[in-house]
Amino acid sequence: MPTPTTLDRFLKPADDAAPDHLLALWKAVDDFATHEVHPLVERMESSPDRVDREIARMMAGHRWFGVTVPEAFGGMDAGHMAKTILIHRLACTSGAAAAILQAGLIPVGGLLYYGNVDQHAALLPGVADGSVLMSIAVTEPDRGGHIGGMATAAEWDGRAWVLSGVKAHVGNSHIADLHVVVARTSPPGTRTSQALTAFLVQSDQRGVHPVRYTGKLGLHGFSFGQIDFDRVRIPPSNVLGEVGQGYAVAQSSSILYGRPNLTALSLGLHEAALSLATQYVSNRPRYEGRLADVNVIQDRLGRMSARLIMARILTYHAVDMLDHGLPCDDELIAAKTLGHELAAETGNDAMELHAANGLASDYPMQRIWRDMQTTYAPAGTGEVQRRRLAQSRLEEETGTGTRTQWSVLHSNRTHPPATDQTVSA
């Protein structure tokens, strides 16, 4: 699909002589999705308990897991705009393929921001060439998004950290080579911002046990399952950041990578839903013409089209700000929550336009609708996002805001911040 003119100001260089690298990437991903991913979709849908590994290998061959990794380590160093294009365009064909990529990119943010020189040298080349696929494990079965209430803990025994606990809804849980695991390392009563530590844990370490994967409602082929950690020994060299910086690792990864990644995933599904609905009503006989000729159907399509335009602008505007080093935490939040809401509304409309056929497995609309349900909770539910926006607005109105935005703290940064600035959640 050609790029919509809505996005020209984001994708086309201001200087006509400059290379159109983003437009070229857009086309490359579309070609990959059409020729490599689409033939695998039916197989993934028919086996919801099966974890697909082939798509991750193919994307690794394009070095897309290194889209934000500096060129010095073999990465593309192409920024968040390019990352968004990758996820968005993949999701138009397969939400699962896009989810595999976006989940593998979230922990890369934590490694870039908080990894030390030795960790960068040892790990980033593998991330860039796709030989080291990462995951991030924060959420727990009984705690959900309450990061301050996590029970997974690591204790120092004098020689190593000993990690035990259970993590749930871990993206790429069953195919990742390296997990970023956030655990409690301080006694009860310690402030959350100082109580947690992030660890780099190899998937083949003794005591790391992925629980047998069972399919979820959507994103068949993508694993977001549970991992049990039973007295896993971690050397001090595998602490990511400093001891007590786990909250910062988790939040910065979620806010600066997770939210825009999920926004891009929602956008691709949104676009797919509108495309399928338009094709359906354009070819469905009704009275003496087509279903698309009916006024109320055109009204419905018009509202769906307007939502997609809004979602595109929200998505690309936020990551454009991020790439330019501008304060944009609120824009990332708004894009994530509204991107999902707009997509979900269009998905519901598309299902209704398909009527009973929307429920049939031989129509792809039901797959798109199921996949849409998976983008609501990760990186914060809609209620959490709106609460953050409200807090920001109240602080601005009263002049009481003292927090530094994550997008400011990590602007163009690939190493840990030098200060202990208080940052927004």
Side-chain angles (χ1 to χ4, degrees):
M1 171 189 168
T3 57
T5 55
T6 306
L7 302 180
D8 278 357
R9 66 176 296 267
F10 301 117
L11 304 181
K12 292 187 176 181
D15 181 1
D16 291 337
D20 294 341
H21 66 282
L22 293 176
L23 297 178
L25 183 62
W26 183 293
K27 183 180 185 304
V29 184
D30 277 356
D31 289 345
F32 173 82
T34 299
H35 299 296
E36 304 294 340
V37 176
H38 186 263
L40 303 178
V41 170
E42 184 176 350
R43 184 189 73 185
M44 292 192 292
E45 282 302 301
S46 64
S47 305
D49 294 340
R50 180 181 180 276
V51 177
D52 187 90
R53 290 173 168 80
E54 184 175 352
I55 289 177
R57 285 196 295 267
M58 291 191 297
M59 290 190 293
H62 289 273
R63 307 180 77 87
W64 288 341
F65 288 103
V67 63
T68 59
V69 173
E71 291 181 349
F73 299 101
M76 295 171 63
D77 200 14
H80 293 277
M81 184 74 70
K83 174 165 62 67
T84 294
I85 290 172
L86 289 171
I87 300 166
H88 166 204
R89 302 314 302 162
L90 283 170
C92 291
T93 296
S94 167
I100 291 169
L101 180 62
Q102 75 84 21
L105 291 171
I106 294 172
V108 175
L111 178 58
L112 286 170
Y113 298 145
Y114 290 92
N116 58 39
V117 172
D118 291 339
Q119 290 167 342
H120 281 181
L123 298 173
L124 287 179
V127 171
D129 67 22
S131 61
V132 177
L133 179 61
M134 297 183 69
S135 81
I136 185 165
V138 179
T139 303
E140 299 186 356
D142 298 327
R143 273 43 178 211
H146 181 209
I147 188 171
M150 72 168 54
T152 298
E155 296 183 356
W156 178 252
D157 71 356
R159 291 182 298 176
W161 291 95
V162 182
L163 171 72
S164 294
V166 180
K167 295 296 184 179
H169 312 303
V170 180
N172 290 330
S173 53
H174 287 61
I175 65 173
D177 306 293
L178 180 67
H179 306 293
V180 174
V181 184
V182 178
R184 183 172 297 280
T185 51
S186 295
T190 307
R191 292 179 57 185
T192 301
S193 60
Q194 300 171 345
L196 312 175
T197 300
F199 299 94
L200 296 166
V201 180
Q202 299 288 341
S203 63
D204 59 357
Q205 278 187 241
R206 185 175 182 177
V208 178
H209 305 294
V211 176
R212 181 178 179 180
Y213 190 73
T214 56
K216 308 298 191 292
L217 175 67
L219 300 179
H220 294 168
F222 167 60
S223 62
F224 49 118
Q226 181 172 305
I227 305 176
D228 294 347
F229 299 93
D230 182 15
R231 296 191 61 77
V232 180
R233 295 184 64 79
I234 305 168
S237 59
N238 277 26
V239 172
L240 182 58
E242 302 294 334
V243 173
Q245 278 192 319
Y247 176 82
V249 172
Q251 288 294 87
S252 61
S253 301
S254 174
I255 292 168
L256 302 182
Y257 275 69
R259 285 174 182 166
N261 288 7
L262 290 161
T263 305
L265 178 55
S266 288
L267 179 61
L269 296 172
H270 191 163
E271 193 167 306
L274 179 54
S275 177
L276 289 171
T278 304
Q279 293 171 26
Y280 184 81
V281 300
S282 296
N283 293 287
R284 187 74 171 171
R286 182 63 72 234
Y287 308 123
E288 301 301 321
R290 308 165 303 156
L291 192 57
D293 298 325
V294 180
N295 287 340
V296 293
I297 300 299
Q298 293 184 7
D299 176 76
R300 184 81 68 99
L301 280 178
R303 283 186 278 124
M304 295 163 74
S305 298
R307 290 190 205 113
L308 180 59
I309 291 171
M310 287 189 287
R312 283 172 174 161
I313 294 171
L314 282 166
T315 301
Y316 281 90
H317 172 66
V319 292
D320 182 61
M321 293 182 70
L322 189 56
D323 272 344
H324 282 85
L326 299 172
C328 58
D329 286 23
D330 287 356
E331 284 77 8
L332 294 170
I333 292 172
K336 196 271 180 180
T337 186
L338 285 177
H340 169 81
E341 290 176 7
L342 293 168
E345 290 173 10
T346 289
N348 289 336
D349 280 345
M351 285 290 284
E352 291 176 2
L353 289 175
H354 277 74
N357 284 333
L359 305 175
S361 60
D362 50 346
Y363 283 82
M365 189 55 235
Q366 51 83 29
R367 168 174 61 87
I368 301 299
W369 183 88
R370 286 187 287 103
D371 288 352
M372 283 178 170
Q373 312 314 307
T374 66
T375 66
Y376 175 73
T381 64
E383 289 81 4
V384 170
Q385 310 288 355
R386 288 187 290 273
R387 180 168 172 262
R388 298 286 183 246
L389 287 172
Q391 290 173 341
S392 177
R393 182 72 187 96
L394 291 168
E395 290 174 355
E396 180 181 340
E397 183 67 23
T398 58
T400 57
T402 59
R403 296 175 180 268
T404 302
Q405 294 190 34
W406 291 102
S407 50
V408 173
L409 191 66
H410 292 297
S411 176
N412 300 315
R413 187 191 302 278
T414 56
H415 51 81
T419 68
D420 292 326
Q421 294 170 316
T422 302
V423 293
S424 59

